[in-house]
Amino acid sequence: MRTPVRDFGGTPAYRVISFFVRGAAKPTQTGSVMRVKQKEGKDRLIPMRRGTAWSAKCALAAEEHAPPQPLEGPLEVRLHFYLPKPKSGKASKRKYPSVKPDVENLGKGILDSWNSVLYADDSQVVSLLQEKDYVGKGMMVGVDVWIRELEAVS
C-alpha cells in the first residue's frame, strides 16, 4: 500500500515525502571495476558496488512511501543518518561521528536506488543535505529521509 505524498494545503502545493528506514546504514562504495567488451571501439569499465544490501532495503522502504507517479522537477533531499555509538575505546568518548563511514558514501547508493520510485532520476536533486550523528538513548539506528519538490505542483 502506498502512502500518499503529503500536501500541506494551500495553493500552490509543494509535495513532500518523508519516512524513516530502520537499520545500520552502510556506505555504498565502488571498488574494482569490471571490463565489458564492446563490439566496436573501447571496452567499457563498470564500477563494482559494495554495500548494496542497505541500498536495497532503502529502496524497499521507498516503495511503501512512493507517490503514484515519481516526482519530477528539481528536488531538495535531506538524509539524516543515525549511527550506533561505539561502546568502548577512544571512539566512545567522541561527541560527533567524525570517522568512517564517510557521509557522502552513506547516501550514494540510496539516491540511485530511488530512481523511478520516488523520483524519475537522482539528477533532479539540486539540494542535498546529508548528516550523520550517533543515536541517543532510546533512539533507533537508521536514516531519516525528507524529500521536497522545489517547484509548485499545479
Side-chain angles (χ1 to χ4, degrees), residues 3-4 11 26 28 31 55 65-66 72 78 86 89 99 107 117 120-122 125-127 135 138 145 150 153:
T3 305
T11 310
K26 300 288 184 194
T28 301
S55 295
H65 299 278
E72 294 187 14
R78 297 180 188 174
V99 294
V117 178
D121 190 83
D122 60 332
V125 178
V126 298
S127 176
V135 291
V145 177
L150 292 176
V153 177

Side-chain angles (χ1 to χ4, degrees), residues 86-140:
K87 294 180 180 159
S88 63
K90 187 177 177 183
S92 67
K93 296 171 181 61
R94 193 176 280 120
K95 183 177 178 181
Y96 298 102
S98 57
V99 294
K100 291 189 182 279
D102 298 349
V103 71
E104 71 269 12
N105 289 339
L106 288 171
K108 208 179 282 183
I110 295 173
L111 293 172
D112 286 339
S113 75
W114 293 336
N115 286 341
S116 302
V117 178
L118 297 178
Y119 39 73
D121 190 83
D122 60 332
S123 64
Q124 294 169 244
V125 178
V126 298
S127 176
L128 175 63
L129 174 64
Q130 295 186 131
E131 300 175 287
K132 62 179 182 174
D133 281 313
Y134 289 130
V135 291
K137 276 198 170 186
M139 292 177 66
M140 293 183 285

Side-chain angles (χ1 to χ4, degrees), residues 10-15 72-74 148-154:
T11 310
Y14 295 90
R15 297 186 299 175
E72 294 187 14
R148 179 175 74 103
E149 289 182 320
L150 292 176
E151 292 180 346
V153 177
S154 49

